[in-house]
């Protein structure tokens, strides 16, 4: 903490910021039984429950209409100054120092953060580039710390890259495609700087990133909510950028589902992992990006047409995901009893899923109380695996109903050892093993069982879990996960991921000082300290799209 003292600590109380929020409090949310989680009244819980005003459950949904009332987060950072009654963890100052070391500059302006800055003797590969998805937690950290210019520069620079001609071999990508990453090149002879962008032509497997455009829209909305500055989103180039991204997704074709058909490796899971088809991560991000775009697009000629198409797609996507991707104990039992070969409009087994294809592990994994959105649904196929990012985004975007959101939290508590273990959080569960692993991954040496994207534990997911916990009124779950991470992250050198069933071992190919591991931790800490930050990344339930489907059966157990 000496480093923090030298830089100075700002004297701000989280309670002072929260009391100004009037009707926005979390303390009134219904308490649910905690399974195998030791409850301790940490600072974040007390700051929520001991406020002078007690508010209603409905007020909790209004985070969408808020931005943080403080210029900076109320947690101590090296950019702050003064004293603070809150005693931060000693690694917070170290984390900020590491995050700032990862900054990338282009012609004197910071435009992002590299994926990892400590390479040692390892091959650099593309870890020295600025990835769109990787920068999101870094961007949120800077926004929460009152440093929006970095985020604005990044948004504008990647928007310029969107306008480039994009080719892989002799095939031209869609005009709206966003890059997976970019790199600043320095020419010491000519003394000029240029940017090289990767739209998938250099990626492993040569797959274009479907998620980059969605994250860009989500981050633009986060910038707007944090700063209150509407002028950036209203710029003609930003309006055009949003429309170009969505034109790629809203175009009519042969699809019979409102979900997006995707290839393996098009998102955070960027290698062959049997997520082709309609992966939950992409569908949840798609839904959130549509909702963010809806509030940022102008109601002019082109904008009005785009808004109408977004509204139509949201209604269909909302119903499809809540109806067919949701799984709890009752739904699992129904699928187990499905009849097959039903040919009519009244078919119950609409995707002709064969009950014998249900994996054995799911029967023990599914608790009586709890549920989640499964990994994939397509004709004759259900991927029952748990994917953390997709389920957390489903909560934050309100793709999940309030009851479904609470059921996801129930599942995490009930299956803490499997999904959190000793280092949060499992990107996917369970791992693919043995013959199945050989067939599905093509014997991928990086995605061996319980490693990397095949059941590895990723600290970056802390920020998503924390945001979901705050939105559902369960901050103690996030506190428990952060406490686990703090015991090792700094000591281990901020690894990219951990291996093993419990996440006990540093990943065999994990890079040290992985920027989004650092930023994910900081964002999680700052959101617990000042939950009003949730407004940047959370959307309240759209009353017009409230479904006519019953609440999760797990909620009534």
């Amino acid at each position: 903490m000496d480093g923090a003292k030298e830089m100075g600590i700002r004297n701000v109380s989280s309670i002072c910021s929260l009391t100004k929020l009037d009707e926005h409090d979390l303390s009134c949310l219904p308490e649910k039984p905690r399974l195998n989680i030791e409850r301790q009244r940490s600072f974040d819980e007390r700051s929520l429950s001991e406020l002078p005003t007690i508010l209603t459950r409905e007020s909790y949904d209004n985070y969408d209409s808020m931005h943080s009332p403080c210029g900076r987060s109320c947690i101590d950072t090296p950019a702050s100054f003064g004293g603070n009654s809150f005693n931060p963890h000693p690694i917070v100052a170290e984390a900020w120092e590491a995050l700032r070391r990862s900054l990338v500059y282009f012609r004197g302006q910071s435009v992002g953060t590299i994926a990892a800055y400590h390479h040692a003797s390892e091959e650099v590969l593309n870890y020295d580039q600025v990835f769109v998805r990787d920068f999101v937690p870094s961007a949120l950290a800077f926004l929460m710390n009152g440093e929006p210019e970095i985020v604005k520069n990044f948004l504008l620079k990647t928007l310029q890259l969107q306008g480039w001609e994009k080719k892989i071999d002799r095939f031209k990508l869609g005009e709206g495609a966003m890059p997976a990453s970019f790199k600043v090149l320095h020419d010491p002879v000519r003394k000029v700087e240029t940017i090289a962008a990767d739209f998938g032509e250099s990626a492993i497997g040569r797959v274009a990133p479907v998620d980059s455009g969605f994250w860009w829209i989500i981050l633009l909305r986060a910038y707007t909510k944090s700063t209150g500055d509407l002028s950036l989103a209203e710029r003609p180039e930003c309006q055009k950028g949003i429309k170009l991204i969505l034109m790629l997704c809203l175009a009519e074709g042969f699809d019979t589902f409102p979900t997006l058909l995707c290839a393996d490796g098009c998102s955070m899971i960027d290698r062959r992992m049997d997520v082709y088809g309609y992966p939950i991560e992409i569908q949840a991000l798609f839904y959130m990006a549509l909702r963010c775009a809806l509030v940022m697009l102008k109601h002019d000629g082109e904008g009005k047409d785009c808004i109408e198409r977004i509204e139509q797609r949201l209604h269909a996507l909302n119903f499809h995901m809540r109806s067919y991707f949701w799984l709890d104990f009752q739904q699992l039992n129904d699928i187990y009893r499905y009849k097959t070969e039903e040919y009519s409009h009244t078919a119950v087994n609409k995707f002709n899923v064969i009950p014998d294809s249900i994996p054995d592990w799911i029967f023990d994994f599914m608790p009586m109380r709890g549920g989640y959105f499964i990994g994939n649904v397509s004709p004759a196929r259900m991927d029952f695996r748990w994917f953390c990012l997709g389920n957390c985004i489903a909560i934050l975007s309100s793709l999940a109903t309030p009851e479904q959101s609470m059921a996801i939290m129930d599942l995490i508590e009930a299956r803490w050892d499997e999904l959190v273990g000793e280092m949060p959080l499992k990107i996917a569960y369970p791992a693919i093993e043995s013959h199945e692993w050989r067939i599905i991954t093509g014997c991928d040496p990086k995605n061996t069982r319980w490693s990397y994207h095949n059941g590895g534990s990723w600290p970056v997911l802390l920020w998503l879990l924390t945001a979901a916990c705050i939105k559902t009124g369960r901050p103690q779950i996030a506190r428990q996960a952060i406490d686990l991470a703090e015991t090792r992250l700094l000591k281990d050198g901020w690894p990219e991921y951990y291996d093993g069933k419990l996440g006990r071992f540093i990943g065999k190919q994990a890079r040290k000082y992985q920027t989004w591991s650092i930023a994910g931790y900081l964002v999680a800490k700052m959101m617990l300290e000042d939950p009003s930050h949730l407004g940047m990344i959370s959307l309240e339930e759209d009353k017009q799209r409230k479904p006519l489907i019953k609440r999760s059966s797990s909620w009534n157990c």
Side-chain angles (χ1 to χ4, degrees), residues 410-516:
D410 289 340
L411 178 81
I412 292 173
E413 283 193 330
R415 297 293 177 257
W416 184 264
D417 288 343
E418 291 87 347
L419 303 181
V420 181
E422 295 184 16
M423 176 55 68
L425 288 149
K426 287 293 179 197
I427 186 173
Y429 180 91
I432 300 169
E433 304 184 61
S434 304
H435 180 66
E436 189 182 18
W437 166 78
R438 288 190 287 272
I439 298 298
I440 287 176
T441 73
C443 300
D444 188 349
K446 194 166 186 177
N447 270 330
T448 53
R449 64 178 184 175
W450 306 114
S451 181
Y452 200 53
H453 294 144
N454 188 13
S457 300
W458 290 70
V460 63
L461 297 172
L462 270 174
W463 81 264
L464 284 160
L465 175 71
T466 301
C469 288
I470 294 172
K471 185 171 184 182
T472 54
R474 314 276 277 272
Q476 75 286 346
I477 297 178
R479 176 73 270 161
Q480 188 89 355
I482 292 172
D483 287 346
L484 278 174
E486 285 177 336
T487 62
R488 291 193 56 183
L489 279 179
L490 178 61
K491 181 178 67 175
D492 293 342
W494 304 99
E496 180 182 12
Y497 63 94
Y498 286 77
D499 285 355
K501 273 192 175 183
L502 296 175
R504 183 175 294 172
F505 304 97
I506 297 174
K508 58 185 175 182
Q509 294 189 41
R511 299 304 168 106
K512 297 292 186 73
Y513 289 90
Q514 186 79 12
T515 303
W516 70 355

Side-chain angles (χ1 to χ4, degrees), residues 342-350:
E342 294 179 294
Y343 182 79
S344 74
H345 292 291
T346 60
V348 175
N349 186 2
K350 294 185 179 181

Side-chain angles (χ1 to χ4, degrees), residues 248-412:
L248 293 174
C249 311
L250 299 176
E252 296 178 351
F254 292 100
D255 297 307
T256 55
F257 312 131
T259 41
L260 281 182
L261 182 63
C262 304
D264 248 333
C266 66
S267 58
M268 179 180 177
I269 299 179
D270 58 4
R271 299 166 78 93
R272 183 174 158 191
M273 270 294 294
D274 199 31
V275 295
Y276 67 88
Y278 305 92
I280 179 61
E281 176 178 335
I282 291 297
Q283 313 315 320
L285 286 171
F286 180 35
Y287 185 84
M288 189 165 192
L290 287 174
R291 293 203 60 199
C292 289
L294 198 60
V295 297
M296 292 190 293
L297 283 173
K298 292 182 178 179
H299 290 251
D300 52 19
E302 287 185 21
K304 187 175 181 180
D305 177 64
C306 191
I307 287 169
E308 289 177 358
R309 296 173 70 182
I310 290 173
E311 285 280 11
Q312 292 171 2
R313 191 61 166 265
L314 279 172
H315 280 285
L317 185 60
N318 179 284
F319 175 82
H320 184 90
M321 296 299 296
R322 291 177 176 182
S323 300
Y324 304 124
F325 273 68
W326 180 254
L327 188 73
D328 55 22
F329 184 86
Q330 182 60 54
Q331 180 66 8
L332 177 60
N333 206 159
D334 291 344
I335 296 171
Y336 177 70
R337 292 167 50 83
Y338 269 170
K339 295 179 181 179
T340 59
E341 310 302 326
E342 294 179 294
Y343 182 79
S344 74
H345 292 291
T346 60
V348 175
N349 186 2
K350 294 185 179 181
F351 296 93
N352 197 36
V353 175
I354 311 301
D356 286 347
S357 69
I358 302 174
D360 291 338
W361 64 266
I362 188 65
F363 294 104
D364 292 327
F365 178 75
M366 178 59 71
M368 293 293 292
R369 185 189 188 94
Y372 65 103
F373 290 95
I374 62 175
N376 218 313
V377 177
S378 58
R381 177 185 178 228
M382 281 186 168
D383 182 352
F384 290 91
R385 283 177 294 173
W386 154 270
F387 291 91
C388 181
L389 192 152
N391 275 275
C392 287
I393 292 293
I395 292 174
L396 296 176
S397 65
S398 290
L399 172 59
T401 66
E403 293 81 11
Q404 288 172 337
S405 296
M406 297 299 280
I408 293 171
M409 291 292 109
D410 289 340
L411 178 81
I412 292 173

